[in-house]
Amino acid sequence: MSGTDSSCVFCKIVARQIPAMMVHEDEHTLAFMDLGQVNPGHVLVAAKAHVENIYGLDDVQASALMRTAARVARAIRDAFSPKGLSVYQANGKPAGQTVFHFHIHLLPRHEDDGMAFTWPVKNPLREKLEEYAVKIRGKLSF
Ligand SMILES: [Zn+2]
């Protein structure tokens, strides 16, 4: 891993200084659920290196991130059978970026979601996130 920013919350998650519900980790990527509940139930796929946005990813990081996102998405599908899955990523504050460390959101959706998220329940408790992470890990193949 190259490049960390000691003030970055995702770098602290990578370094295990802030707890998160881990779904997957490899050389270049980390997939986790945020225990701070800023994005309740979202699975976040992040670069392990501190790369601010998509413009800063090298080819190896970009490939690794999409591979992890696709595999975790399939594991979510196999574990929870959502009706759909939203995948999104933001660059810059005007686009909605709030943590300046590259990451992709994976968000399973159901018919009656609207913009409110169910996973399969809205605002899942920490214990539920742990249960969901275990289910996703059980379906994940690397
Ligand atoms: Zn960072």
Side-chain angles (χ1 to χ4, degrees):
M1 181 178 69
S2 65
T4 58
D5 177 338
S6 60
S7 67
C8 170
V9 65
F10 280 15
C11 285
K12 289 178 182 173
I13 288 173
V14 171
R16 303 300 201 273
Q17 291 164 354
I18 293 177
M21 204 63 75
M22 290 300 160
V23 171
H24 171 73
E25 180 172 13
D26 60 35
E27 185 182 356
H28 298 290
T29 69
L30 200 63
F32 60 93
M33 285 187 277
D34 178 14
L35 288 176
Q37 301 277 358
V38 176
N39 295 296
H42 293 210
V43 178
L44 305 179
V45 178
K48 287 175 81 172
H50 184 78
V51 176
E52 183 170 316
N53 55 42
I54 196 167
Y55 310 122
L57 297 174
D58 66 26
D59 287 352
V60 171
Q61 291 167 325
S63 300
L65 284 158
M66 189 50 76
R67 180 194 61 202
T68 296
R71 290 183 180 186
V72 172
R74 288 194 293 268
I76 290 169
R77 177 197 63 192
D78 295 346
F80 300 104
S81 304
K83 301 283 188 221
L85 183 84
S86 294
V87 179
Y88 64 90
Q89 190 276 323
N91 291 307
K93 274 186 184 166
Q97 187 178 12
T98 55
V99 174
F100 291 82
H101 179 131
F102 183 87
H103 61 286
I104 297 166
H105 293 249
L106 299 175
L107 182 52
R109 309 304 294 250
H110 298 270
E111 298 287 2
D112 56 356
D113 262 357
M115 290 304 288
F117 166 64
T118 56
W119 166 250
V121 296
K122 195 175 174 180
N123 298 324
L125 301 171
R126 279 171 91 109
E127 303 75 54
K128 277 286 173 195
L129 290 183
E130 171 127 44
E131 183 187 317
Y132 299 156
V134 167
K135 281 188 178 176
I136 295 166
R137 289 199 301 266
K139 298 291 186 183
L140 202 51
S141 59
F142 265 84

Short mmCIF file of all heavy atoms in Angstrom, two decimals, residues 7-75:
data_model
loop_
_atom_site.label_atom_id
_atom_site.label_comp_id
_atom_site.label_asym_id
_atom_site.label_seq_id
_atom_site.Cartn_x
_atom_site.Cartn_y
_atom_site.Cartn_z
N SER A 7 -5.23 12.19 8.56
CA SER A 7 -6.48 12.84 8.94
C SER A 7 -7.70 12.23 8.24
O SER A 7 -8.82 12.64 8.47
CB SER A 7 -6.41 14.34 8.63
OG SER A 7 -6.35 14.52 7.22
N CYS A 8 -7.44 11.22 7.38
CA CYS A 8 -8.53 10.66 6.56
C CYS A 8 -9.21 9.50 7.28
O CYS A 8 -8.56 8.55 7.71
CB CYS A 8 -7.94 10.18 5.23
SG CYS A 8 -9.08 9.20 4.25
N VAL A 9 -10.53 9.56 7.37
CA VAL A 9 -11.28 8.52 8.09
C VAL A 9 -11.14 7.16 7.43
O VAL A 9 -11.05 6.13 8.12
CB VAL A 9 -12.76 8.94 8.25
CG1 VAL A 9 -13.47 9.03 6.92
CG2 VAL A 9 -13.50 8.00 9.18
N PHE A 10 -11.07 7.11 6.09
CA PHE A 10 -10.93 5.81 5.43
C PHE A 10 -9.52 5.25 5.60
O PHE A 10 -9.36 4.04 5.73
CB PHE A 10 -11.32 5.90 3.95
CG PHE A 10 -12.81 5.87 3.73
CD1 PHE A 10 -13.71 6.08 4.77
CD2 PHE A 10 -13.33 5.62 2.47
CE1 PHE A 10 -15.08 6.05 4.57
CE2 PHE A 10 -14.71 5.59 2.25
CZ PHE A 10 -15.58 5.80 3.30
N CYS A 11 -8.50 6.10 5.62
CA CYS A 11 -7.15 5.62 5.92
C CYS A 11 -7.11 5.02 7.33
O CYS A 11 -6.43 4.02 7.56
CB CYS A 11 -6.13 6.73 5.77
SG CYS A 11 -5.75 7.14 4.05
N LYS A 12 -7.87 5.63 8.25
CA LYS A 12 -7.92 5.09 9.62
C LYS A 12 -8.64 3.75 9.65
O LYS A 12 -8.28 2.87 10.44
CB LYS A 12 -8.60 6.09 10.56
CG LYS A 12 -7.74 7.31 10.83
CD LYS A 12 -8.45 8.31 11.73
CE LYS A 12 -7.56 9.53 11.94
NZ LYS A 12 -8.27 10.59 12.67
N ILE A 13 -9.64 3.57 8.80
CA ILE A 13 -10.32 2.27 8.71
C ILE A 13 -9.36 1.23 8.13
O ILE A 13 -9.25 0.11 8.63
CB ILE A 13 -11.62 2.37 7.88
CG1 ILE A 13 -12.68 3.13 8.70
CG2 ILE A 13 -12.14 0.99 7.47
CD1 ILE A 13 -13.95 3.46 7.94
N VAL A 14 -8.61 1.62 7.08
CA VAL A 14 -7.62 0.71 6.49
C VAL A 14 -6.60 0.28 7.54
O VAL A 14 -6.22 -0.89 7.63
CB VAL A 14 -6.90 1.37 5.28
CG1 VAL A 14 -5.72 0.52 4.82
CG2 VAL A 14 -7.87 1.60 4.13
N ALA A 15 -6.19 1.23 8.38
CA ALA A 15 -5.18 0.95 9.42
C ALA A 15 -5.79 0.32 10.67
O ALA A 15 -5.08 0.07 11.64
CB ALA A 15 -4.47 2.24 9.79
N ARG A 16 -7.11 0.08 10.65
CA ARG A 16 -7.84 -0.51 11.78
C ARG A 16 -7.80 0.40 13.01
O ARG A 16 -7.91 -0.07 14.14
CB ARG A 16 -7.29 -1.90 12.15
CG ARG A 16 -7.31 -2.92 11.02
CD ARG A 16 -8.73 -3.17 10.52
NE ARG A 16 -8.88 -4.43 9.82
CZ ARG A 16 -8.66 -4.59 8.51
NH1 ARG A 16 -8.29 -3.58 7.76
NH2 ARG A 16 -8.83 -5.77 7.95
N GLN A 17 -7.68 1.69 12.78
CA GLN A 17 -7.75 2.64 13.89
C GLN A 17 -9.19 3.05 14.17
O GLN A 17 -9.50 3.57 15.24
CB GLN A 17 -6.89 3.88 13.59
CG GLN A 17 -5.40 3.56 13.58
CD GLN A 17 -4.58 4.66 12.92
OE1 GLN A 17 -5.11 5.60 12.36
NE2 GLN A 17 -3.26 4.51 12.97
N ILE A 18 -10.05 2.87 13.17
CA ILE A 18 -11.49 3.08 13.33
C ILE A 18 -12.15 1.76 12.94
O ILE A 18 -11.84 1.22 11.88
CB ILE A 18 -12.01 4.22 12.43
CG1 ILE A 18 -11.42 5.56 12.88
CG2 ILE A 18 -13.53 4.27 12.42
CD1 ILE A 18 -11.83 6.73 11.98
N PRO A 19 -13.05 1.22 13.78
CA PRO A 19 -13.67 -0.06 13.44
C PRO A 19 -14.69 0.06 12.31
O PRO A 19 -15.37 1.08 12.18
CB PRO A 19 -14.36 -0.48 14.75
CG PRO A 19 -14.60 0.79 15.49
CD PRO A 19 -13.51 1.74 15.08
N ALA A 20 -14.76 -0.98 11.51
CA ALA A 20 -15.77 -1.08 10.46
C ALA A 20 -16.08 -2.56 10.29
O ALA A 20 -15.31 -3.41 10.73
CB ALA A 20 -15.25 -0.50 9.15
N MET A 21 -17.23 -2.86 9.70
CA MET A 21 -17.61 -4.25 9.49
C MET A 21 -17.00 -4.72 8.18
O MET A 21 -17.47 -4.35 7.10
CB MET A 21 -19.14 -4.34 9.44
CG MET A 21 -19.66 -5.69 9.80
SD MET A 21 -19.24 -6.15 11.49
CE MET A 21 -20.40 -5.14 12.42
N MET A 22 -15.94 -5.52 8.28
CA MET A 22 -15.19 -5.91 7.09
C MET A 22 -15.92 -6.99 6.29
O MET A 22 -16.43 -7.96 6.85
CB MET A 22 -13.82 -6.45 7.48
CG MET A 22 -12.88 -5.40 8.02
SD MET A 22 -12.57 -4.10 6.80
CE MET A 22 -11.98 -2.80 7.90
N VAL A 23 -15.93 -6.79 4.98
CA VAL A 23 -16.51 -7.77 4.07
C VAL A 23 -15.41 -8.46 3.27
O VAL A 23 -15.44 -9.66 3.03
CB VAL A 23 -17.53 -7.09 3.12
CG1 VAL A 23 -17.98 -8.03 2.02
CG2 VAL A 23 -18.73 -6.58 3.91
N HIS A 24 -14.39 -7.68 2.88
CA HIS A 24 -13.30 -8.24 2.08
C HIS A 24 -12.08 -7.33 2.17
O HIS A 24 -12.21 -6.12 2.28
CB HIS A 24 -13.72 -8.37 0.61
CG HIS A 24 -12.59 -8.72 -0.29
ND1 HIS A 24 -12.04 -9.98 -0.30
CD2 HIS A 24 -11.87 -7.98 -1.15
CE1 HIS A 24 -11.02 -9.99 -1.17
NE2 HIS A 24 -10.90 -8.80 -1.69
N GLU A 25 -10.89 -7.94 2.08
CA GLU A 25 -9.66 -7.16 1.97
C GLU A 25 -8.69 -7.90 1.07
O GLU A 25 -8.57 -9.12 1.15
CB GLU A 25 -9.02 -6.96 3.35
CG GLU A 25 -7.73 -6.15 3.27
CD GLU A 25 -7.16 -5.77 4.63
OE1 GLU A 25 -7.62 -6.33 5.65
OE2 GLU A 25 -6.26 -4.93 4.67
N ASP A 26 -8.03 -7.17 0.17
CA ASP A 26 -6.93 -7.75 -0.59
C ASP A 26 -5.83 -6.70 -0.70
O ASP A 26 -5.84 -5.70 0.02
CB ASP A 26 -7.40 -8.28 -1.96
CG ASP A 26 -8.00 -7.20 -2.84
OD1 ASP A 26 -7.54 -6.04 -2.79
OD2 ASP A 26 -8.95 -7.52 -3.60
N GLU A 27 -4.89 -6.91 -1.61
CA GLU A 27 -3.71 -6.03 -1.66
C GLU A 27 -4.07 -4.56 -1.89
O GLU A 27 -3.47 -3.66 -1.31
CB GLU A 27 -2.78 -6.51 -2.78
CG GLU A 27 -1.47 -5.75 -2.85
CD GLU A 27 -0.56 -6.20 -4.00
OE1 GLU A 27 -0.91 -7.17 -4.72
OE2 GLU A 27 0.49 -5.57 -4.18
N HIS A 28 -5.07 -4.32 -2.76
CA HIS A 28 -5.37 -2.94 -3.15
C HIS A 28 -6.71 -2.41 -2.66
O HIS A 28 -6.95 -1.21 -2.75
CB HIS A 28 -5.35 -2.83 -4.69
CG HIS A 28 -4.03 -3.15 -5.29
ND1 HIS A 28 -2.94 -2.32 -5.16
CD2 HIS A 28 -3.61 -4.23 -6.00
CE1 HIS A 28 -1.90 -2.87 -5.78
NE2 HIS A 28 -2.28 -4.02 -6.29
N THR A 29 -7.59 -3.29 -2.19
CA THR A 29 -8.95 -2.85 -1.88
C THR A 29 -9.44 -3.35 -0.52
O THR A 29 -8.94 -4.36 0.01
CB THR A 29 -9.96 -3.33 -2.95
OG1 THR A 29 -10.10 -4.75 -2.87
CG2 THR A 29 -9.52 -2.93 -4.34
N LEU A 30 -10.45 -2.64 -0.03
CA LEU A 30 -11.11 -3.00 1.21
C LEU A 30 -12.61 -2.83 0.96
O LEU A 30 -13.02 -1.84 0.34
CB LEU A 30 -10.66 -2.02 2.29
CG LEU A 30 -10.78 -2.37 3.75
CD1 LEU A 30 -9.91 -3.58 4.08
CD2 LEU A 30 -10.36 -1.17 4.60
N ALA A 31 -13.43 -3.79 1.40
CA ALA A 31 -14.88 -3.64 1.32
C ALA A 31 -15.43 -3.75 2.74
O ALA A 31 -15.07 -4.67 3.47
CB ALA A 31 -15.50 -4.71 0.42
N PHE A 32 -16.26 -2.79 3.14
CA PHE A 32 -16.72 -2.75 4.52
C PHE A 32 -18.06 -2.03 4.63
O PHE A 32 -18.46 -1.30 3.73
CB PHE A 32 -15.68 -2.06 5.42
CG PHE A 32 -15.39 -0.63 5.03
CD1 PHE A 32 -16.09 0.41 5.62
CD2 PHE A 32 -14.44 -0.33 4.07
CE1 PHE A 32 -15.83 1.74 5.26
CE2 PHE A 32 -14.19 0.98 3.70
CZ PHE A 32 -14.88 2.02 4.29
N MET A 33 -18.70 -2.23 5.79
CA MET A 33 -19.88 -1.43 6.13
C MET A 33 -19.47 -0.48 7.25
O MET A 33 -18.74 -0.86 8.17
CB MET A 33 -21.05 -2.33 6.54
CG MET A 33 -21.67 -2.99 5.32
SD MET A 33 -23.17 -3.90 5.70
CE MET A 33 -22.46 -5.43 6.27
N ASP A 34 -19.97 0.73 7.14
CA ASP A 34 -19.60 1.81 8.03
C ASP A 34 -20.34 1.69 9.36
O ASP A 34 -21.56 1.76 9.40
CB ASP A 34 -19.98 3.11 7.32
CG ASP A 34 -19.71 4.33 8.14
OD1 ASP A 34 -18.99 4.22 9.16
OD2 ASP A 34 -20.20 5.40 7.76
N LEU A 35 -19.60 1.50 10.44
CA LEU A 35 -20.25 1.39 11.76
C LEU A 35 -20.70 2.74 12.29
O LEU A 35 -21.48 2.82 13.22
CB LEU A 35 -19.32 0.73 12.76
CG LEU A 35 -19.10 -0.76 12.55
CD1 LEU A 35 -18.08 -1.28 13.55
CD2 LEU A 35 -20.39 -1.52 12.68
N GLY A 36 -20.19 3.83 11.69
CA GLY A 36 -20.62 5.15 12.09
C GLY A 36 -22.02 5.48 11.60
O GLY A 36 -22.59 6.48 11.98
N GLN A 37 -22.56 4.63 10.74
CA GLN A 37 -23.94 4.74 10.25
C GLN A 37 -24.17 6.01 9.43
O GLN A 37 -25.30 6.48 9.33
CB GLN A 37 -24.96 4.66 11.39
CG GLN A 37 -24.88 3.37 12.17
CD GLN A 37 -25.66 2.24 11.51
OE1 GLN A 37 -26.27 2.41 10.49
NE2 GLN A 37 -25.59 1.06 12.09
N VAL A 38 -23.11 6.58 8.88
CA VAL A 38 -23.30 7.70 7.96
C VAL A 38 -24.06 7.22 6.73
O VAL A 38 -24.96 7.88 6.22
CB VAL A 38 -21.94 8.31 7.55
CG1 VAL A 38 -22.14 9.42 6.52
CG2 VAL A 38 -21.22 8.85 8.78
N ASN A 39 -23.68 6.03 6.27
CA ASN A 39 -24.36 5.39 5.14
C ASN A 39 -24.83 4.02 5.59
O ASN A 39 -24.22 3.02 5.29
CB ASN A 39 -23.38 5.23 3.96
CG ASN A 39 -22.95 6.57 3.42
OD1 ASN A 39 -23.76 7.32 2.90
ND2 ASN A 39 -21.67 6.87 3.54
N PRO A 40 -25.92 3.97 6.37
CA PRO A 40 -26.29 2.72 7.01
C PRO A 40 -26.51 1.59 6.01
O PRO A 40 -27.33 1.71 5.10
CB PRO A 40 -27.57 3.04 7.76
CG PRO A 40 -27.93 4.42 7.43
CD PRO A 40 -26.84 5.05 6.63
N GLY A 41 -25.75 0.54 6.18
CA GLY A 41 -25.95 -0.64 5.37
C GLY A 41 -25.29 -0.62 4.02
O GLY A 41 -25.22 -1.65 3.36
N HIS A 42 -24.80 0.52 3.58
CA HIS A 42 -24.05 0.53 2.31
C HIS A 42 -22.80 -0.33 2.48
O HIS A 42 -22.18 -0.30 3.53
CB HIS A 42 -23.54 1.93 1.96
CG HIS A 42 -24.61 2.91 1.63
ND1 HIS A 42 -24.39 3.94 0.74
CD2 HIS A 42 -25.87 3.04 2.06
CE1 HIS A 42 -25.49 4.67 0.64
NE2 HIS A 42 -26.40 4.15 1.43
N VAL A 43 -22.45 -1.06 1.44
CA VAL A 43 -21.13 -1.67 1.41
C VAL A 43 -20.24 -0.73 0.61
O VAL A 43 -20.57 -0.36 -0.53
CB VAL A 43 -21.15 -3.08 0.79
CG1 VAL A 43 -19.73 -3.65 0.73
CG2 VAL A 43 -22.04 -4.01 1.61
N LEU A 44 -19.15 -0.32 1.22
CA LEU A 44 -18.23 0.61 0.57
C LEU A 44 -17.00 -0.15 0.13
O LEU A 44 -16.42 -0.91 0.90
CB LEU A 44 -17.83 1.73 1.55
CG LEU A 44 -19.01 2.50 2.17
CD1 LEU A 44 -18.50 3.55 3.14
CD2 LEU A 44 -19.86 3.14 1.10
N VAL A 45 -16.62 0.03 -1.13
CA VAL A 45 -15.41 -0.59 -1.67
C VAL A 45 -14.41 0.55 -1.86
O VAL A 45 -14.65 1.47 -2.64
CB VAL A 45 -15.69 -1.28 -3.02
CG1 VAL A 45 -14.40 -1.87 -3.59
CG2 VAL A 45 -16.76 -2.37 -2.85
N ALA A 46 -13.31 0.49 -1.11
CA ALA A 46 -12.35 1.60 -1.09
C ALA A 46 -10.97 1.13 -1.52
O ALA A 46 -10.60 -0.03 -1.33
CB ALA A 46 -12.26 2.20 0.32
N ALA A 47 -10.23 2.07 -2.11
CA ALA A 47 -8.80 1.84 -2.35
C ALA A 47 -8.09 1.82 -1.00
O ALA A 47 -8.45 2.57 -0.10
CB ALA A 47 -8.23 2.95 -3.22
N LYS A 48 -7.10 0.97 -0.85
CA LYS A 48 -6.35 0.97 0.41
C LYS A 48 -5.40 2.17 0.47
O LYS A 48 -5.16 2.69 1.54
CB LYS A 48 -5.59 -0.34 0.59
CG LYS A 48 -6.55 -1.48 0.95
CD LYS A 48 -5.88 -2.81 1.02
CE LYS A 48 -5.18 -3.01 2.35
NZ LYS A 48 -4.68 -4.40 2.48
N ALA A 49 -4.88 2.57 -0.67
CA ALA A 49 -4.03 3.76 -0.71
C ALA A 49 -4.91 5.01 -0.66
O ALA A 49 -6.07 4.98 -1.10
CB ALA A 49 -3.19 3.76 -1.98
N HIS A 50 -4.37 6.08 -0.13
CA HIS A 50 -5.13 7.33 -0.11
C HIS A 50 -5.07 7.99 -1.48
O HIS A 50 -4.15 8.72 -1.82
CB HIS A 50 -4.58 8.28 0.95
CG HIS A 50 -5.42 9.52 1.07
ND1 HIS A 50 -6.62 9.55 1.74
CD2 HIS A 50 -5.24 10.76 0.55
CE1 HIS A 50 -7.14 10.76 1.63
NE2 HIS A 50 -6.33 11.52 0.92
N VAL A 51 -6.10 7.70 -2.28
CA VAL A 51 -6.27 8.31 -3.59
C VAL A 51 -7.57 9.10 -3.51
O VAL A 51 -8.60 8.53 -3.17
CB VAL A 51 -6.37 7.24 -4.70
CG1 VAL A 51 -6.64 7.87 -6.05
CG2 VAL A 51 -5.09 6.41 -4.74
N GLU A 52 -7.51 10.39 -3.75
CA GLU A 52 -8.66 11.24 -3.47
C GLU A 52 -9.88 10.92 -4.32
O GLU A 52 -10.99 10.87 -3.83
CB GLU A 52 -8.28 12.71 -3.65
CG GLU A 52 -9.43 13.66 -3.29
CD GLU A 52 -8.99 15.11 -3.25
OE1 GLU A 52 -7.93 15.40 -2.68
OE2 GLU A 52 -9.72 15.94 -3.80
N ASN A 53 -9.67 10.68 -5.61
CA ASN A 53 -10.83 10.49 -6.48
C ASN A 53 -10.43 9.65 -7.69
O ASN A 53 -9.28 9.21 -7.82
CB ASN A 53 -11.43 11.82 -6.92
CG ASN A 53 -10.42 12.72 -7.57
OD1 ASN A 53 -9.60 12.25 -8.38
ND2 ASN A 53 -10.43 13.99 -7.22
N ILE A 54 -11.37 9.43 -8.59
CA ILE A 54 -11.16 8.52 -9.72
C ILE A 54 -10.00 8.98 -10.61
O ILE A 54 -9.32 8.16 -11.23
CB ILE A 54 -12.46 8.34 -10.53
CG1 ILE A 54 -12.37 7.11 -11.44
CG2 ILE A 54 -12.82 9.62 -11.30
CD1 ILE A 54 -13.72 6.69 -12.04
N TYR A 55 -9.77 10.27 -10.66
CA TYR A 55 -8.71 10.80 -11.52
C TYR A 55 -7.33 10.33 -11.07
O TYR A 55 -6.40 10.30 -11.86
CB TYR A 55 -8.76 12.32 -11.54
CG TYR A 55 -10.13 12.88 -11.83
CD1 TYR A 55 -10.74 13.74 -10.92
CD2 TYR A 55 -10.83 12.54 -12.99
CE1 TYR A 55 -12.00 14.26 -11.16
CE2 TYR A 55 -12.08 13.06 -13.24
CZ TYR A 55 -12.68 13.92 -12.32
OH TYR A 55 -13.92 14.42 -12.55
N GLY A 56 -7.21 10.00 -9.78
CA GLY A 56 -5.89 9.64 -9.23
C GLY A 56 -5.59 8.16 -9.23
O GLY A 56 -4.50 7.75 -8.84
N LEU A 57 -6.55 7.33 -9.67
CA LEU A 57 -6.31 5.88 -9.65
C LEU A 57 -5.37 5.46 -10.76
O LEU A 57 -5.54 5.89 -11.91
CB LEU A 57 -7.63 5.12 -9.83
CG LEU A 57 -8.71 5.30 -8.76
CD1 LEU A 57 -9.98 4.59 -9.22
CD2 LEU A 57 -8.24 4.77 -7.42
N ASP A 58 -4.40 4.60 -10.45
CA ASP A 58 -3.61 4.01 -11.54
C ASP A 58 -4.39 2.78 -12.06
O ASP A 58 -5.43 2.40 -11.51
CB ASP A 58 -2.18 3.69 -11.10
CG ASP A 58 -2.08 2.59 -10.05
OD1 ASP A 58 -2.99 1.73 -9.96
OD2 ASP A 58 -1.09 2.59 -9.30
N ASP A 59 -3.90 2.19 -13.15
CA ASP A 59 -4.65 1.10 -13.80
C ASP A 59 -4.82 -0.10 -12.88
O ASP A 59 -5.86 -0.78 -12.91
CB ASP A 59 -3.94 0.67 -15.09
CG ASP A 59 -4.11 1.69 -16.21
OD1 ASP A 59 -4.89 2.65 -16.04
OD2 ASP A 59 -3.44 1.53 -17.25
N VAL A 60 -3.80 -0.39 -12.09
CA VAL A 60 -3.88 -1.55 -11.20
C VAL A 60 -4.95 -1.31 -10.13
O VAL A 60 -5.78 -2.18 -9.86
CB VAL A 60 -2.50 -1.83 -10.55
CG1 VAL A 60 -2.61 -2.87 -9.45
CG2 VAL A 60 -1.50 -2.28 -11.60
N GLN A 61 -4.95 -0.13 -9.55
CA GLN A 61 -5.97 0.19 -8.53
C GLN A 61 -7.37 0.19 -9.14
O GLN A 61 -8.32 -0.33 -8.54
CB GLN A 61 -5.68 1.57 -7.92
CG GLN A 61 -4.43 1.60 -7.06
CD GLN A 61 -4.00 3.02 -6.74
OE1 GLN A 61 -4.14 3.93 -7.56
NE2 GLN A 61 -3.47 3.21 -5.55
N ALA A 62 -7.50 0.78 -10.32
CA ALA A 62 -8.82 0.86 -10.97
C ALA A 62 -9.36 -0.53 -11.25
O ALA A 62 -10.53 -0.83 -11.00
CB ALA A 62 -8.71 1.67 -12.25
N SER A 63 -8.51 -1.41 -11.76
CA SER A 63 -8.93 -2.78 -12.06
C SER A 63 -9.31 -3.52 -10.79
O SER A 63 -10.33 -4.21 -10.75
CB SER A 63 -7.81 -3.54 -12.77
OG SER A 63 -7.47 -2.92 -13.98
N ALA A 64 -8.49 -3.38 -9.76
CA ALA A 64 -8.74 -4.09 -8.51
C ALA A 64 -10.05 -3.62 -7.88
O ALA A 64 -10.83 -4.43 -7.36
CB ALA A 64 -7.57 -3.88 -7.54
N LEU A 65 -10.33 -2.33 -7.94
CA LEU A 65 -11.55 -1.79 -7.34
C LEU A 65 -12.79 -2.31 -8.06
O LEU A 65 -13.77 -2.69 -7.41
CB LEU A 65 -11.51 -0.26 -7.36
CG LEU A 65 -10.60 0.34 -6.29
CD1 LEU A 65 -10.17 1.75 -6.67
CD2 LEU A 65 -11.30 0.34 -4.94
N MET A 66 -12.76 -2.35 -9.38
CA MET A 66 -13.94 -2.83 -10.11
C MET A 66 -14.13 -4.33 -9.92
O MET A 66 -15.26 -4.80 -9.80
CB MET A 66 -13.83 -2.47 -11.60
CG MET A 66 -15.12 -2.74 -12.35
SD MET A 66 -16.62 -2.06 -11.58
CE MET A 66 -16.45 -0.32 -12.00
N ARG A 67 -13.03 -5.06 -9.86
CA ARG A 67 -13.13 -6.50 -9.58
C ARG A 67 -13.77 -6.73 -8.21
O ARG A 67 -14.70 -7.54 -8.08
CB ARG A 67 -11.74 -7.14 -9.63
CG ARG A 67 -11.76 -8.65 -9.35
CD ARG A 67 -10.37 -9.20 -9.07
NE ARG A 67 -9.81 -8.54 -7.90
CZ ARG A 67 -8.51 -8.46 -7.61
NH1 ARG A 67 -7.62 -8.98 -8.43
NH2 ARG A 67 -8.10 -7.85 -6.52
N THR A 68 -13.29 -6.02 -7.20
CA THR A 68 -13.86 -6.19 -5.86
C THR A 68 -15.33 -5.78 -5.85
O THR A 68 -16.18 -6.48 -5.28
CB THR A 68 -13.05 -5.39 -4.83
OG1 THR A 68 -11.73 -5.91 -4.77
CG2 THR A 68 -13.69 -5.46 -3.45
N ALA A 69 -15.65 -4.65 -6.48
CA ALA A 69 -17.04 -4.18 -6.50
C ALA A 69 -17.95 -5.21 -7.16
O ALA A 69 -19.04 -5.51 -6.66
CB ALA A 69 -17.14 -2.83 -7.21
N ALA A 70 -17.50 -5.79 -8.28
CA ALA A 70 -18.33 -6.77 -9.00
C ALA A 70 -18.51 -8.04 -8.17
O ALA A 70 -19.62 -8.59 -8.09
CB ALA A 70 -17.70 -7.09 -10.35
N ARG A 71 -17.45 -8.49 -7.54
CA ARG A 71 -17.56 -9.73 -6.75
C ARG A 71 -18.41 -9.52 -5.51
O ARG A 71 -19.21 -10.39 -5.15
CB ARG A 71 -16.17 -10.23 -6.39
CG ARG A 71 -15.44 -10.76 -7.61
CD ARG A 71 -14.09 -11.34 -7.25
NE ARG A 71 -13.42 -11.84 -8.46
CZ ARG A 71 -12.28 -12.49 -8.44
NH1 ARG A 71 -11.66 -12.73 -7.31
NH2 ARG A 71 -11.74 -12.91 -9.57
N VAL A 72 -18.24 -8.38 -4.85
CA VAL A 72 -19.07 -8.11 -3.66
C VAL A 72 -20.53 -7.92 -4.08
O VAL A 72 -21.44 -8.39 -3.40
CB VAL A 72 -18.53 -6.90 -2.87
CG1 VAL A 72 -19.49 -6.51 -1.75
CG2 VAL A 72 -17.14 -7.21 -2.30
N ALA A 73 -20.76 -7.27 -5.22
CA ALA A 73 -22.14 -7.10 -5.71
C ALA A 73 -22.79 -8.47 -5.94
O ALA A 73 -23.95 -8.69 -5.57
CB ALA A 73 -22.14 -6.28 -7.01
N ARG A 74 -22.07 -9.40 -6.56
CA ARG A 74 -22.63 -10.73 -6.78
C ARG A 74 -22.90 -11.44 -5.45
O ARG A 74 -23.91 -12.15 -5.31
CB ARG A 74 -21.69 -11.58 -7.65
CG ARG A 74 -21.66 -11.14 -9.10
CD ARG A 74 -21.00 -12.20 -9.99
NE ARG A 74 -19.58 -12.37 -9.72
CZ ARG A 74 -18.61 -11.70 -10.36
NH1 ARG A 74 -18.90 -10.82 -11.31
NH2 ARG A 74 -17.35 -11.91 -10.06
N ALA A 75 -22.02 -11.24 -4.48
CA ALA A 75 -22.23 -11.85 -3.16
C ALA A 75 -23.47 -11.26 -2.48
O ALA A 75 -24.24 -11.99 -1.85
CB ALA A 75 -20.99 -11.66 -2.28
#
